[in-house]
Amino acid sequence: MKYCSDFTIVENKALNPTLFRLKLQSKDKLAPVKAGQFVEIQTIQPSSVLLRRPISIHDVDEESNSLYLLIQKVGKGSNELANLEKNQTVNLIYPCGNGFDIKGNDVLLVGGGVGIAPLLYLSKCFHKQGIKPTILIGFRTKEQMIPLDEFESFCNVYISTQDGSFGQKGLVTENTVMNHVYDTVYTCGPSPMMQSIACFFEQKGIPCFVSLENKMACGIGACLCCAQNTHEGYKCTCTDGPVFDSKEIIW
């Protein structure tokens, strides 16, 4: 079930030149949220941005009825969100889409750039079940990294940077952590990265779940702009996804 609720901005924190994190608090009890689901957030009105923006849920704090969103500044809508101030109110439709199923005891999470957004809450969900995942995060450079102390609370953290300025040099698909035999793999990030990871682990017979970042407009499966080709025909990323078994996807 989806809810349409007002949330108050508690914090708007810049993490690097392009990524920022919003903490949003509801006066009502939060609806149940599954790791991998997203919100449709409305920018402050009046605005020239007509459509809500789909944003992955980064973290959940049930005690304070708060949601965290990790957002990248890429266009007019996200830049408006970057300028939100404490105590302003925004409206969310949530929780949208499906989410990750918690499977396996020896699991790998792989994120690239802002694709790490849904993986923090996923790692926390594993932690609650007594499982400490391995997480591999890719950035272009050290300067594009964000603080990872929260991830380190729940995961064994490994980093790849393309220029070698931090962690292992190269793409995440080249990191030696990939060579371990895992029960399950979960990934979110650029499509070429997820495709490479899915292909790599499918060949090993290891289940891989991908969280797609297709562009969305309505968020309810009506406009079809987020349609994804699968082996079962086209599916809407916003309603059938964003999480899919990688074997379903026709890349």
Side-chain angles (χ1 to χ4, degrees):
M1 181 180 293
K2 298 181 181 65
Y3 296 83
C4 185
S5 303
D6 287 337
F7 282 73
T8 301
I9 305 296
V10 176
E11 182 182 56
N12 185 346
K13 184 177 182 180
L15 302 181
N16 68 24
T18 61
L19 292 178
F20 63 99
R21 189 176 73 170
L22 294 179
K23 180 180 180 181
L24 311 172
Q25 187 174 50
S26 173
K27 68 180 187 303
D28 302 315
K29 181 177 175 59
L30 285 181
V33 173
K34 193 174 182 179
Q37 291 184 302
F38 65 96
V39 306
E40 287 279 346
I41 184 170
Q42 187 176 46
T43 56
I44 294 292
Q45 301 299 312
S47 170
S48 60
V49 178
L50 300 178
L51 298 175
R52 292 172 181 262
R53 292 300 188 259
I55 306 293
S56 292
I57 295 172
H58 183 49
D59 198 7
V60 179
D61 184 348
E62 292 94 345
E63 290 186 3
S64 65
N65 296 316
S66 299
L67 297 177
Y68 293 81
L69 308 178
L70 180 65
I71 307 174
Q72 183 174 23
K73 292 187 285 186
V74 293
K76 185 179 291 186
S78 54
N79 276 280
E80 284 195 14
L81 296 176
N83 292 324
L84 290 172
E85 298 179 355
K86 186 175 181 179
N87 296 324
Q88 284 188 292
T89 300
V90 292
N91 186 266
L92 303 183
I93 297 175
Y94 85 107
C96 300
N98 65 2
F100 294 108
D101 290 327
I102 306 300
K103 296 181 179 181
N105 294 303
D106 189 356
V107 299
L108 174 67
L109 319 181
V110 187
V114 74
I116 66 175
L119 302 184
L120 178 61
Y121 189 48
L122 178 61
S123 66
K124 182 184 286 188
C125 291
F126 272 110
H127 183 76
K128 288 180 179 178
Q129 296 196 11
I131 298 167
K132 191 171 186 178
T134 296
I135 187 167
L136 172 59
I137 304 173
F139 299 98
R140 287 192 176 89
T141 68
K142 180 180 179 180
E143 287 69 31
Q144 293 185 331
M145 292 177 58
I146 65 170
L148 299 173
D149 52 312
E150 290 176 295
F151 284 97
E152 291 168 346
S153 299
F154 307 114
C155 303
N156 297 309
V157 179
Y158 295 85
I159 304 296
S160 284
T161 53
Q162 293 182 27
D163 66 352
S165 54
F166 194 92
Q168 287 193 31
K169 182 178 182 179
L171 303 174
V172 290
T173 49
E174 300 167 330
N175 195 292
T176 54
V177 171
M178 295 277 288
N179 296 325
H180 181 74
V181 178
Y182 299 95
D183 296 334
T184 318
V185 176
Y186 302 83
T187 183
C188 183
S191 182
M193 182 202 82
M194 291 193 291
Q195 182 178 1
S196 295
I197 290 168
C199 181
F200 181 85
F201 286 108
E202 284 173 14
Q203 291 175 354
K204 294 176 176 287
I206 298 173
C208 181
F209 295 90
V210 297
S211 180
L212 301 185
E213 295 186 316
N214 296 17
K215 290 184 178 179
M216 304 178 193
C218 70
I220 58 172
C223 70
L224 304 181
C225 79
C226 67
Q228 172 64 45
N229 196 8
T230 76
H231 292 288
E232 298 178 352
Y234 280 93
K235 294 186 177 182
C236 287
T237 302
C238 65
T239 52
D240 299 310
V243 176
F244 292 90
D245 186 321
S246 64
K247 291 181 179 178
E248 292 184 61
I249 303 299
I250 296 177
W251 300 97

